[in-house]
Amino acid sequence: SADQIMRLDPDGVVLSSGPGDPHSLKASVLEMIRQVQSQVPLMAIGLGHELFALANGAQVERMPIENHSMNHPIKEIMTDQIDYASQAQGYEVMRESVDRSKLFVTHIDLLNNSVQGLHHLRYPAFSVQFFPDGAPGPDETDPLFDQFVDMMNQRGGRSE
């Protein structure tokens, strides 16, 4: 629960990737995400991205063709930078369902135009569908981890 997590006094919370259908998790997981994102910085990856989207009112659907590959071109919308990332994606956030009063799309897949990143407008919380810590490049997406650490530091966390 969010209370259990907050008792640990985290500087931030990472919702990691993992296999499975995001709809198969209990509704309490989505409520936990809503509570945690309002209290500490949150970064979500893969399945965590899908859960972050669901917790904030977006729809997630099974992809007709799953993405399981390396060197997948992902475009960061604000900078037009293209990173090549690893993917293991069976579900996607439906762009038209993203509540633009809560979230904005930060990254898109250049092969299928799917939503690959979201950022919360009110809270220090964001997500990416791809694996920012994986191959092919050693440091292309390090700025995502820097952004998360900066969010924790702005909150007054202990991270360096």
Side-chain angles (χ1 to χ4, degrees), residues 3-145:
D3 288 339
Q4 291 170 312
I5 293 169
M6 296 314 298
R7 279 196 292 271
L8 297 172
D9 191 28
D11 290 336
V13 171
V14 176
L15 302 176
S16 66
S17 57
D21 180 347
H23 300 99
S24 67
L25 286 118
K26 296 178 182 178
S28 61
V29 172
L30 301 181
E31 180 56 31
M32 177 274 297
I33 293 169
R34 285 189 285 272
Q35 290 178 27
V36 167
Q37 75 184 7
S38 71
Q39 297 178 56
V40 295
L42 182 132
M43 177 182 184
I45 301 168
L47 177 62
H49 163 76
E50 296 157 10
L51 295 170
F52 175 72
L54 287 169
N56 285 287
Q59 295 175 350
V60 175
E61 294 183 8
R62 187 164 192 71
M63 298 177 77
I65 300 173
E66 295 185 2
N67 291 335
H68 296 278
S69 63
M70 295 177 67
N71 298 324
H72 216 77
I74 306 296
K75 179 181 176 181
E76 184 178 3
I77 293 171
M78 291 184 69
T79 64
D80 280 338
Q81 179 174 325
I82 297 171
D83 293 318
Y84 293 89
S86 296
Q87 292 236 340
Q89 177 184 5
Y91 293 84
E92 69 179 307
V93 175
M94 305 312 295
R95 183 187 300 246
E96 65 277 0
S97 73
V98 174
D99 181 348
R100 293 176 14 179
S101 70
K102 290 183 184 177
L103 302 171
F104 64 92
V105 176
T106 59
H107 295 79
I108 58 168
D109 185 315
L110 291 178
L111 297 180
N112 63 16
N113 208 35
S114 63
V115 173
Q116 293 292 307
L118 295 167
H119 199 290
H120 203 286
L121 287 167
R122 187 170 169 202
Y123 304 122
F126 69 96
S127 65
V128 292
Q129 179 68 61
F130 55 92
F131 299 133
D133 57 341
D139 57 8
E140 289 179 321
T141 55
D142 281 355
L144 292 170
F145 294 100

